[in-house]
Amino acid sequence: MKRTPTIILTGASGLIGRTLLDEWKNDYRIFAVARRTQQECEAPVHPNIAWMRADISDQARISEVFREIATAGGADFVFHLAAFYDFSGERHPEYYTTNVVGTRNVLELSQEIRPRLFVFSSSVAACPFPPPNEFIREDTSPSGDHIYSWSKREGERLIMDPQNTIHSCVVRLGAVYTDWCEYPPLYTMLQTWLSGSWKARILAGKGESAVPYIHMRDIISFFRRIIESAEILPQKTIVQACTNGATSHRTLYQLATRHFYGEERKPIFMPPVAITPGLHALRMIGRVTGTMPFEQPWMLRFIDEKLNVDASRTYALLNWTPNPRHAIDRRIRYLLEHLKSEPHLWHLKNLRASLKERDRVELRIYRTLSILEDSVSIAAINAIFGEHQDSGRFAALRSMDKNEVTWFVRMLYRLLLTSIHTGNTLLLCNYFEISSSGRFAAGYRPDDLIEVLQALNSAINRDTIDWGEPRPQRTALHHYITMPIELAIDEIEFQRESAKTTDREPAPGGETSPGPDDNARRQLEETIWSCLVMRK
């Protein structure tokens, strides 16, 4: 029986990553690596998709992920899409940690599983704007001076390094958009041009600023072609996934106003010298209102520059070309039709694409607590069975079998770890919803269950835990640790009140009238524990 090809896909929570998952899920086994959860980014769930949460710049965690992949049989392809980018122009440290360190980590770990092809996602924006009537080609040096360009240049350098012996390919992407837009600069322009704003008719310079676009459907066919051509691709080749040439703001403005209003509107061309003071004024207003404009000072130097591309070598090598129907000048009417017919969904999709991903502090919390499981669990157990406890607190628990209580503490600890990893803060709460009667039958009173949870919370939140730098803020620890525990305590109290109203008040020593579904609850409880053991 022919083996199903396996793919490692980093950046699986991004726009391209989610789309490829949806397209590939029936044809490949996929290890999807991302910092967000599947639920949070609305990625597809499928038996062929193994979702693995990790920050690629965290060497310990990403090494653990690759060890799991190697144990599961390795992978045939690695598509490294994970990258950081924002439009502020600031030298954010994540350009280095994610785009450089993260790429190095993924590449080095891929050396051990020896995929048939390693695909690194770069950008035509890694290259400088060419002189007039010249083009960016596959052999153009990625020497752009923007911080994003620098980070992609460093990534390409890692791929081309002689020490990299994996069969590798660099893909330079154009500006990727969908029928809902979902490309922040294009969304901002359309939102402005088609509004009643005083800026609606203003184009910077002569309106000749231009970049090459590529529709998401062409991205799908392009990457499929990459997989199909893996054996014939030259080692460390560079290909360009975009249309030839570049589409200017002026052309887009003319098309957008014609299709939206039924007639083309005349733009007002504003020279850079006049735009500069207005841009700084908008930024001052943004600081006061808390809503910064999309336009940034660094963009001024690219006014009327054209990122013209000649991708003819790629087309010939892969026997592939973008579908003419997907060209931005023909597709823009579909974007605008979606804007007109479903404006709320249009803006929702684009705002999601524009939002900067927050710091994944929960991944550091999860990683640290995974390492400290033994010491934190022992601290919680010692708090219960310690010699210097007062006679009231934990008294009933200390009369129970210590091994049973130890097992219970460790199970709750692993449930808490799973809730952090999946982003499901209700996991502990749901556990007690289905298992409280089983715990009562095992000899626990509601107060005992609450005391165990409180001991666990105290052990995790104690100041002596070495979280590394930077230490998670107390608000983060409250959200990912204390809040799930408090929700679980609230559920236990609810179960106690429910037991009273049904004359099933749990008595000391565990005497309780068994309900008709107690066996099912205990079976479900054991199933949860088995899953946790397997995950560990």
Side-chain angles (χ1 to χ4, degrees):
M1 184 175 179
K2 188 176 180 181
R3 176 177 172 271
T4 302
T6 302
I7 294 173
I8 298 173
L9 179 68
T10 71
S13 62
L15 176 62
I16 298 176
R18 295 194 311 271
T19 305
L20 291 177
L21 283 176
D22 206 35
E23 290 292 323
W24 288 348
K25 63 181 184 289
N26 293 315
D27 302 322
Y28 305 102
R29 293 174 61 236
I30 307 168
F31 295 103
V33 182
R35 294 194 290 192
R36 290 186 282 176
T37 66
Q38 274 176 293
Q39 294 82 359
E40 185 182 353
C41 68
E42 299 179 0
V45 177
H46 190 273
N48 281 342
I49 298 174
W51 194 266
M52 314 186 84
R53 287 195 75 194
D55 185 331
I56 60 171
S57 64
D58 181 346
Q59 188 176 35
R61 172 57 186 152
I62 197 64
S63 296
E64 181 182 313
V65 164
F66 269 76
R67 282 195 299 272
E68 293 176 8
I69 292 173
T71 301
D76 301 286
F77 301 95
V78 177
F79 281 81
H80 179 41
L81 306 183
F84 173 81
Y85 186 73
D86 69 5
F87 295 92
S88 68
E90 298 175 1
R91 301 185 72 85
H92 195 286
E94 208 168 333
Y95 281 113
Y96 176 71
T97 57
T98 297
N99 297 8
V100 181
V101 175
T103 296
R104 182 186 300 121
N105 288 341
V106 173
L107 185 60
E108 289 178 351
L109 291 166
S110 295
Q111 302 267 2
E112 300 173 11
I113 61 174
R114 306 304 300 177
R116 289 166 52 196
L117 182 66
F118 184 101
V119 179
F120 172 66
S121 174
S122 186
S123 170
V124 294
C127 302
F129 282 79
N133 301 318
E134 293 191 20
F135 298 87
I136 294 172
R137 295 183 170 84
E138 289 79 359
D139 57 358
T140 300
S141 173
S143 55
D145 58 2
H146 186 272
I147 179 62
Y148 176 70
S149 306
W150 169 84
S151 70
K152 284 300 180 183
R153 176 171 70 246
E154 290 302 298
E156 290 193 19
R157 184 182 61 78
L158 290 169
I159 301 300
M160 299 301 171
D161 191 298
Q163 292 186 4
N164 171 29
T165 59
I166 304 175
H167 187 201
S168 304
C169 171
V170 172
V171 175
R172 290 178 180 168
L173 298 169
V176 181
Y177 72 102
T178 73
D179 281 350
W180 295 89
C181 187
E182 298 183 90
Y183 177 59
L186 181 59
Y187 169 67
T188 302
M189 290 187 292
L190 292 176
Q191 189 180 28
T192 302
W193 296 339
L194 306 177
S195 71
S197 168
W198 60 270
K199 300 186 294 180
R201 294 177 59 191
I202 294 177
L203 290 183
K206 299 176 183 178
E208 294 302 321
S209 302
V211 299
Y213 290 86
I214 182 165
H215 194 280
M216 184 63 78
R217 293 182 187 176
D218 285 329
I219 287 290
I220 294 168
S221 67
F222 180 87
F223 279 126
R224 276 203 179 272
R225 192 67 190 130
I226 287 285
I227 292 175
E228 294 165 355
S229 306
E231 308 306 325
I232 65 169
L233 286 176
Q235 169 66 316
K236 299 180 182 178
T237 190
I238 297 175
V239 291
Q240 302 191 118
C242 58
T243 55
N244 277 329
T247 305
S248 70
H249 292 179
R250 183 174 188 170
T251 298
L252 290 173
Y253 178 87
Q254 292 169 339
L255 291 167
T257 56
R258 183 195 310 157
H259 291 306
F260 194 80
Y261 296 113
E263 61 179 8
E264 191 176 302
R265 296 195 170 182
K266 268 186 114 173
I268 299 172
F269 300 111
M270 188 75 68
V273 67
I275 290 176
T276 303
L279 179 56
H280 287 291
L282 286 175
R283 286 174 58 80
M284 290 179 63
I285 294 171
R287 291 191 185 98
V288 174
T289 62
T291 305
M292 295 299 289
F294 179 82
E295 299 82 2
Q296 299 292 326
W298 68 267
M299 300 176 182
L300 293 170
R301 59 195 176 99
F302 297 113
I303 291 177
D304 290 333
E305 294 285 339
K306 296 183 179 181
L307 202 63
N308 276 322
V309 170
D310 177 2
S312 56
R313 294 183 195 173
T314 296
Y315 299 168
L317 176 64
L318 297 177
N319 190 25
W320 172 92
T321 55
N323 189 325
R325 290 193 67 241
H326 299 158
I328 186 70
D329 57 343
R330 294 179 61 176
R331 209 69 197 172
I332 196 167
R333 68 188 73 187
Y334 293 93
L335 277 70
L336 300 181
E337 185 56 35
H338 277 131
L339 171 59
K340 289 180 179 180
S341 61
E342 299 183 74
H344 296 296
L345 185 56
W346 160 275
H347 289 294
L348 181 64
K349 284 178 175 286
N350 282 282
L351 288 173
R352 183 175 67 174
S354 302
L355 287 174
K356 182 179 174 182
E357 188 180 342
R358 62 184 172 82
D359 178 32
R360 293 285 145 190
V361 64
E362 74 271 26
L363 293 182
R364 289 194 291 111
I365 294 174
Y366 173 81
R367 178 65 188 168
T368 301
L369 292 184
S370 295
I371 295 171
L372 298 177
E373 177 176 349
D374 286 340
S375 61
V376 174
S377 298
I378 290 171
I381 294 162
N382 287 340
I384 296 171
F385 289 95
E387 297 178 359
H388 303 291
Q389 295 295 338
D390 60 71
S391 58
R393 195 173 184 219
F394 304 125
L397 288 170
R398 290 200 299 275
S399 68
M400 297 177 64
D401 181 71
K402 186 175 182 179
N403 290 332
E404 155 67 20
V405 177
T406 299
W407 173 88
F408 188 50
V409 168
R410 285 187 174 273
M411 185 189 70
L412 293 179
Y413 191 95
R414 293 188 182 184
L415 272 175
L416 185 61
L417 277 178
T418 304
S419 77
I420 298 169
H421 196 250
T422 61
N424 182 4
T425 56
L426 291 173
L427 187 59
L428 273 173
C429 178
N430 293 339
Y431 168 76
F432 282 104
E433 180 182 5
I434 64 171
S435 71
S436 289
S437 60
R439 293 293 94 208
F440 298 155
Y444 291 87
R445 303 173 308 165
D447 286 343
D448 299 332
L449 300 178
I450 291 172
E451 287 178 349
V452 170
L453 287 169
Q454 290 173 337
L456 193 58
N457 188 41
S458 297
I460 294 173
N461 279 283
R462 72 187 195 277
D463 292 333
T464 54
I465 284 187
D466 182 12
W467 292 96
E469 295 296 337
R471 180 185 175 88
Q473 295 182 351
R474 290 200 175 274
T475 52
L477 296 177
H478 176 82
H479 177 76
Y480 293 107
I481 297 167
T482 304
M483 180 60 72
I485 288 175
E486 288 181 349
L487 290 169
I489 290 173
D490 184 73
E491 178 61 34
I492 294 167
E493 291 174 341
F494 172 76
Q495 293 290 337
R496 169 164 47 194
E497 294 304 314
S498 298
K500 285 180 180 179
T501 60
T502 56
D503 296 324
R504 296 179 62 235
E505 168 73 6
E511 295 299 325
T512 183
S513 304
D517 60 343
D518 278 351
N519 288 334
R521 289 173 183 267
R522 283 196 292 272
Q523 184 177 1
L524 185 53
E525 178 185 0
E526 294 303 323
T527 301
I528 290 175
W529 172 242
S530 298
C531 290
L532 291 170
V533 171
M534 289 174 64
R535 185 189 68 79
K536 187 65 178 178

